[in-house]
């Protein structure tokens, strides 16, 4: 087999230039928020139980901090996956988030301004020459308030090289006994109970210290069904939900052969929308079909990088209570969640401080791994907590 090559010369034509927007047709509804937290395994009543949310200090049901990514037509990857790289594929490599304060509620409109940022090429065992490309997403509400900024990293590599390196020893889902599944449900509920125990109470900055362990969060086993549920919770995957970009052509981005497809194509959406939503045809089909997963180097069906980023944000935000807020996080995705595996998240407090704006902050880290201890993602975050009244 010839050595893989990666021609990234076209990317220079896009760096620093705003992209064509793709905006929602209608405002978000509360059921869009409910669908999201259900798919993200995040049973925080603040985001789905109207009566409970009305008793919160918000006085209404609100979206979780992880929600903005649902409306972008590439779940944040668009500005980090632009420019023609022939015969390539892409995976999510990480996200950095900054949150500025406004919360999303039903009836809001959110749009995203997107600007490609930079790229670099490195040698990897997985794909040979590999492009690590970054792009910025600025999420605004209908009032012009900046809700969040996301700097997304895409990993773009030779599809042939990825296929050639597909693992052959873990293409079957692990088998879980009934007893093991029952034990998992107990572990899962411990984190849910933490949310219930907090209720509407603050987690005070005064009560935490460096070295404190964050509670374990477990969910899974993942499956084609759970990944499909995730995909359908991204609002942009719904037919007719967005004013689609007219400059998006998967083949022109370098996706090859059966992975190109007319995903997100506004003309084909009017003709035959099943060709356009990504579940069946196009680059996203590898998540839900093991055959296409192996075509791009994955052993079996695998999860979405943007979902992994949401799991991390929700992990920190749920612990912080409804009075806290994740202000910044930097997440590195190291291996995707695979069907049949579970995801276990643990974390701890690294530091606590008062920032230059007088906010009471903690720095925390988390690690996401599967049942074998293989790292899926790592992250660090700065989280604002409420100071106990004097």
């Amino acid at each position: 087999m010839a050595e893989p090559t990666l021609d990234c010369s076209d990317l220079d034509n896009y760096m620093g230039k705003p992209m064509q927007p793709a905006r929602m047709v209608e405002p978000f509804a509360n059921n869009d928020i409910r669908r999201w937290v259900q798919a993200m395994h995040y049973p925080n009543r603040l985001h789905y139980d109207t009566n409970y949310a009305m008793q919160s200090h918000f006085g209404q049901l609100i979206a979780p901090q992880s929600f903005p990514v649902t409306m972008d037509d590439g779940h944040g990857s668009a500005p980090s996956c632009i420019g023609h790289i022939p015969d390539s594929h892409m995976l999510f490599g990480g996200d950095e988030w900054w949150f500025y304060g406004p919360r999303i509620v039903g009836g809001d409109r959110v749009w995203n301004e997107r600007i490609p940022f930079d790229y670099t090429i490195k040698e990897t065992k997985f794909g040979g020459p590999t492009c690590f490309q970054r792009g910025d997403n600025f999420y605004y509400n209908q009032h012009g308030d900046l809700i969040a900024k996301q700097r997304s990293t895409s990993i773009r590599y030779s599809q042939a090289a990825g296929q050639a390196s597909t693992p052959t020893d873990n293409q079957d889902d692990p088998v879980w006994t009934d007893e093991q599944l029952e034990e998992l449900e107990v572990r899962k509920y411990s984190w849910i109970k933490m949310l219930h125990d907090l209720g509407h109470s603050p987690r005070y900055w005064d009560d935490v210290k460096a070295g404190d362990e964050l509670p374990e969060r477990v969910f899974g086993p993942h499956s084609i069904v759970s990944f499909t549920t995730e995909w359908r919770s991204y609002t942009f995957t719904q037919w007719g939900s967005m004013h689609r970009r007219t400059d998006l052509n998967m083949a022109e981005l370098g996706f090859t052969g059966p992975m190109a497809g007319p995903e997100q194509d506004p003309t084909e959406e009017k003709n035959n929308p099943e060709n356009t939503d990504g579940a069946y045809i196009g680059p996203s089909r590898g998540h839900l079909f093991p055959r296409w997963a192996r075509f791009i180097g994955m052993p079996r069906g695998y999860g979405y990088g943007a979902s992994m980023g949401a799991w991390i944000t929700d992990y920190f935000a749920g612990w912080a209570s409804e009075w806290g807020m994740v202000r910044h996080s930097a997440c590195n995705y190291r291996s995707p969640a695979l069907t049949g595996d579970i995801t276990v998240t643990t974390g701890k407090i690294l530091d606590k401080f008062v920032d230059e704006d007088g906010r009471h902050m903690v720095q925390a880290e988390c690690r996401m791994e599967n049942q074998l201890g293989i790292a899926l993602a790592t992250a660090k975050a700065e989280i604002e907590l409420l100071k106990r009244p004097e």
Side-chain angles (χ1 to χ4, degrees):
M1 176 180 172
E3 289 294 318
T5 60
L6 205 69
D7 180 3
C8 300
S9 58
D10 186 50
L11 273 58
D12 293 324
N13 295 318
Y14 299 92
M15 294 301 113
K17 299 177 182 178
M19 297 172 57
Q20 185 184 105
R23 296 186 174 175
M24 305 297 301
V25 172
E26 291 141 354
F28 287 115
N30 281 344
N31 276 348
D32 294 316
I33 297 170
R34 293 187 177 103
R35 184 180 296 112
W36 174 252
V37 295
Q38 184 172 348
M40 295 299 117
H41 320 280
Y42 186 35
N44 188 332
R45 294 173 65 192
L46 190 64
H47 310 307
Y48 71 90
D49 184 333
T50 298
N51 289 334
Y52 179 86
M54 287 175 64
Q55 297 168 21
S56 73
H57 82 282
F58 295 105
Q60 62 179 322
L61 192 146
I62 65 166
Q65 288 190 245
S66 61
F67 191 70
V69 76
T70 65
M71 54 71 55
D72 178 63
D73 69 345
H75 37 116
S77 70
S80 64
C81 183
I82 188 166
H84 181 55
I85 301 180
D87 301 320
S88 63
H89 197 75
M90 68 81 71
L91 297 171
F92 275 70
D95 281 311
E96 188 169 9
W97 283 92
W98 294 263
F99 296 98
Y100 298 103
R103 304 302 293 257
I104 297 173
V105 300
D108 279 353
R109 290 181 179 271
V110 177
W111 68 85
N112 183 11
E113 292 183 355
R114 303 177 287 194
I115 304 175
F117 186 66
D118 65 7
Y119 70 94
T120 186
I121 302 170
K122 300 178 182 178
E123 191 75 18
T124 65
K125 293 181 180 179
F126 174 75
T130 301
C131 178
F132 293 81
Q133 185 175 351
R134 298 192 295 176
D136 289 342
N137 301 270
F138 299 87
Y139 297 96
Y140 295 90
N141 64 19
Q142 69 274 18
H143 307 296
D145 301 322
L146 180 60
I147 298 168
K149 173 184 173 182
Q150 174 195 18
R151 177 162 291 168
S152 181
T153 299
S154 289
I155 300 172
R156 304 180 70 182
Y157 60 96
S158 161
Q159 174 273 320
Q163 184 178 18
S165 65
T166 303
T168 57
D169 59 349
N170 63 342
Q171 295 188 355
D172 296 323
D173 285 9
V175 177
W176 297 84
T177 67
D178 290 343
E179 291 76 16
Q180 288 173 324
L181 292 174
E182 289 175 5
E183 291 172 0
L184 282 179
E185 291 305 316
V186 173
R187 291 175 68 186
K188 289 180 191 179
Y189 186 71
S190 66
W191 198 79
I192 298 171
K193 186 175 183 301
M194 180 271 296
L195 296 175
H196 294 329
D197 290 344
L198 266 176
H200 296 303
S201 300
R203 187 178 297 282
Y204 286 114
W205 180 83
D206 313 71
D207 298 336
V208 303
K209 62 182 183 301
D212 285 354
E213 300 287 334
L214 274 60
E216 175 190 71
R217 184 187 184 198
V218 178
F219 49 89
H222 305 288
S223 66
I224 296 297
V225 174
S226 68
F227 291 154
T228 304
T229 302
E230 289 175 28
W231 181 246
R232 290 301 180 215
S233 73
Y234 287 94
T235 309
F236 74 88
T237 69
Q238 299 164 17
W239 300 346
S241 61
M242 301 197 79
H243 300 287
R244 305 286 181 193
R245 292 166 53 195
T246 58
D247 64 344
L248 183 61
N249 183 306
M250 295 303 178
E252 289 180 358
L253 293 179
F255 291 104
T256 184
M259 301 306 285
E263 190 172 323
Q264 304 286 340
D265 184 276
T267 302
E268 183 62 11
E269 186 177 51
K270 295 179 176 62
N271 175 50
N272 183 357
E274 290 199 344
N275 287 338
T276 68
D277 66 19
Y280 313 117
I281 296 172
S284 300
R285 71 197 320 192
H287 293 281
L288 306 181
F289 295 91
R291 170 190 175 187
W292 299 117
R294 290 189 281 272
F295 184 76
I296 53 90
M298 294 292 114
R300 54 188 192 268
Y302 63 102
Y304 300 90
S307 297
M308 190 175 290
W311 300 342
I312 290 171
T313 300
D314 293 341
Y315 177 73
F316 288 131
W319 172 83
S321 83
E322 68 181 52
W323 297 86
M325 172 172 277
V326 180
R327 288 295 186 174
H328 171 256
S329 67
C331 316
N332 294 310
Y333 308 146
R334 299 168 64 175
S335 181
L338 300 175
T339 55
D341 287 351
I342 65 171
T343 294
V344 180
T345 307
T346 55
K348 68 177 181 180
I349 303 301
L350 300 176
D351 193 13
K352 57 184 291 187
F353 57 94
V354 178
D355 72 7
E356 59 187 13
D357 295 318
R359 300 178 301 190
H360 291 79
M361 309 291 292
V362 297
Q363 184 185 57
E365 67 177 3
C366 76
R367 176 183 172 90
M368 196 177 281
E369 59 186 35
N370 66 12
Q371 70 278 3
L372 301 176
I374 296 172
L376 307 181
T378 57
K380 288 185 178 180
E382 288 75 53
I383 306 164
E384 182 179 4
L385 297 180
L386 193 66
K387 177 76 168 67
R388 187 181 293 278
E390 297 295 339

